[in-house]
Amino acid sequence: EVQLVESGGGLVQAGGSLRLSCAASGFNFDDYAIGWYRQAPGKEREGISCSADGRTIYADSVKGRFTISSDKAKMMVYLQMNSLKPEDTAVYYCAADLVCPAAGFMMDYWGKGTLVTVSL
């Protein structure tokens, strides 16, 4: 059974940094794409990053500020978020699928999310 558990969310001031973690289990880490999504209050869920086969893509809204990384031995995926803005406030989700989906499409497996709040 594929399981994804996010952690590391919290309250941070604008301009600050936060690192989210995603503990993965139940699948072969090398065979899956791992993505990060977020959903702000009143808005649709959006994909912000996806990593597979050594390649990583980022949404324009986070490019240059967020970095995805992984520790395969620990089956952990991380999202380093720098220069945070109030508009980054959202619930952040880790997701997995066989491939990175096209823009606007969701992945098959999801964690429950972790809340990030960026204050002025």
Side-chain angles (χ1 to χ4, degrees):
E1 179 187 3
V2 174
Q3 288 192 331
L4 301 163
V5 180
E6 303 93 338
S7 61
L11 175 64
V12 62
Q13 286 189 324
S17 298
L18 209 57
R19 189 178 81 156
L20 305 183
S21 299
C22 173
S25 62
F27 61 98
N28 189 332
F29 206 68
D30 287 332
D31 293 339
Y32 278 70
I34 301 294
W36 284 94
Y37 288 71
R38 67 184 181 186
Q39 188 165 17
K43 295 188 177 181
E44 293 186 350
R45 192 171 298 188
E46 63 166 340
I48 57 174
S49 181
C50 190
S51 183
D53 298 327
R55 298 179 181 178
T56 304
I57 55 175
Y58 296 96
D60 288 344
S61 57
V62 305
K63 197 175 294 182
R65 300 187 299 124
F66 291 12
T67 303
I68 196 171
S69 63
S70 64
D71 184 331
K72 291 184 179 180
K74 295 181 179 179
M75 290 193 66
M76 295 291 295
V77 181
Y78 306 99
L79 184 68
Q80 178 67 42
M81 306 185 295
N82 299 327
S83 302
L84 283 162
K85 307 173 183 179
E87 51 264 43
D88 294 318
T89 294
V91 177
Y92 283 72
Y93 298 90
C94 177
D97 206 332
L98 292 176
V99 296
C100 289
F105 286 82
M106 301 292 111
M107 302 180 89
D108 275 350
Y109 302 99
W110 295 86
K112 293 184 177 180
T114 184
L115 176 63
V116 173
T117 304
V118 184
S119 64
L120 289 169

